[in-house]
Amino acid sequence: MPRLDIREYKKSLRAKYREYRTQMPACVKAQKDDRIARRLSSLHAFQNADLVLCYVSTPIEVETREIMKRAWKAGKRVAVPYCLPQTTTMEFYEIQSFDDLAPRTFGVLEPLPEQCRLVTDFAHSIAIVPGLCFDSYGYRLGYGKGYYDRFLQKYKGTKIGICYQKCTKTQLIHGRYDVAVDLLVTEYTVRPKRMGKKTHIAKDNVF
């Protein structure tokens, strides 16, 4: 049996789910995004958190601005990623409003370090995790750069993936550096990660 090249496997899935998201009508996406934001903000993990670590969404991702607005309205602190391309790692900076953001890595809005506070204490926080696809075990298909997986390896708080229902699978083949989320929120459900046997390919993973 030929050996599966996980790079090609992930490349194919990324193309599939990018296409689905790109073709989604704006009005449909807005409805799905609103449902996800409402489901997420109703979680005990969200309500009990003092700090919400949240990515700033691009046009094909689940919209996160409403999530951040809900966090601020509830009196929570919000921090977003600042990517360090030279090490493919990221830091989180607390923002007070969207005026603290500017386009940077890959054209994504990131915090302005000169006017934002670097977060080093992640106690009482949750992390909202992006992904093109998630499986029932909490594993995600990211964008291939490894920024979030590096951060999540050391992060001890609750990890929450947000994704569209049609961008989920029962099982994704994953590598040794992939980190599972604890909960997955879609426009229809909130699912804890499934426990049990799962496929794991270590050698060919892109990190």
Side-chain angles (χ1 to χ4, degrees), residues 47-142:
Q47 294 173 355
N48 293 334
D50 296 326
L51 171 65
V52 176
L53 308 179
C54 188
Y55 70 94
V56 183
S57 55
T58 63
I60 68 166
E61 293 180 306
V62 175
E63 172 62 57
T64 57
R65 288 164 183 78
E66 178 60 26
I67 294 170
M68 289 187 267
K69 289 177 183 178
R70 286 172 178 258
W72 282 322
K73 186 176 181 180
K76 304 178 188 301
R77 297 158 52 216
V78 173
V80 299
Y82 180 85
C83 294
L84 304 170
Q86 64 273 23
T87 57
T88 55
T89 58
M90 62 186 186
E91 300 173 328
F92 278 83
Y93 283 82
E94 184 177 349
I95 62 171
Q96 305 298 323
S97 75
F98 301 127
D99 292 334
D100 289 334
L101 303 173
R104 191 169 168 269
T105 310
F106 311 117
V108 177
L109 292 175
E110 296 190 11
L112 295 165
E114 63 272 17
Q115 66 186 53
C116 300
R117 186 176 68 86
L118 176 66
V119 177
T120 56
D121 182 359
F122 298 104
H124 309 295
S125 71
I126 58 171
I128 310 302
V129 182
L132 285 167
C133 175
F134 285 84
D135 73 8
S136 60
Y137 294 97
Y139 287 98
R140 57 186 281 273
L141 176 70

Side-chain angles (χ1 to χ4, degrees), residues 142-153:
Y143 295 89
K145 300 299 181 181
Y147 284 93
Y148 258 92
D149 285 318
R150 286 181 174 84
F151 172 75
L152 294 177
Q153 283 178 9

